[in-house]
Amino acid sequence: MIVVNSISTQNIRELTKKEKILRLNLKSWFISFFGAITPQAYIGFLNAVFIFLALVVFFYIIEFFDDDIVDIALATGQIRTGAQVYYP
């Protein structure tokens, strides 16, 4: 007689799921924060707050349609060189 044991577990988290804070991923929060803080010395604190809120709303809208849109935009914005990559 053959006895086969099996183990089953719950899938607690998907592998491709991105970490989100208040429905925005971490890169969107960083871009919004640093995009508003960087010109803050020139435009004033209140205007920087309005820019931060505008960027957060913008990222909410674009991430509603695609969760990876920020990663795609950052990947296409990287500098490409003509050098080929060789792996040892």
Side-chain angles (χ1 to χ4, degrees):
M1 173 189 261
I2 298 175
V3 177
V4 177
N5 292 332
S6 66
I7 299 173
S8 63
T9 61
Q10 287 182 343
N11 185 6
I12 297 172
R13 181 174 168 229
E14 295 179 24
L15 293 176
T16 60
K17 187 170 176 134
K18 302 222 182 253
E19 295 291 329
K20 294 199 173 216
I21 302 169
L22 297 174
R23 293 182 15 200
L24 284 180
N25 64 17
L26 199 56
K27 289 181 183 177
S28 298
W29 284 110
F30 280 139
I31 292 171
S32 298
F33 180 73
F34 287 114
I37 290 298
T38 303
Q40 188 260 339
Y42 300 108
I43 62 174
F45 178 74
L46 189 59
N47 288 332
V49 170
F50 289 139
I51 289 174
F52 175 75
L53 293 176
L55 287 172
V56 168
V57 169
F58 173 73
F59 283 122
Y60 269 120
I61 292 169
I62 64 170
E63 285 192 13
F64 175 75
F65 295 109
D66 186 13
D67 289 340
D68 296 329
I69 194 74
V70 175
D71 294 330
I72 293 168
L74 290 175
T76 58
Q78 291 178 352
I79 297 174
R80 293 189 180 102
T81 62
Q84 295 182 3
V85 178
Y86 296 100
Y87 296 102

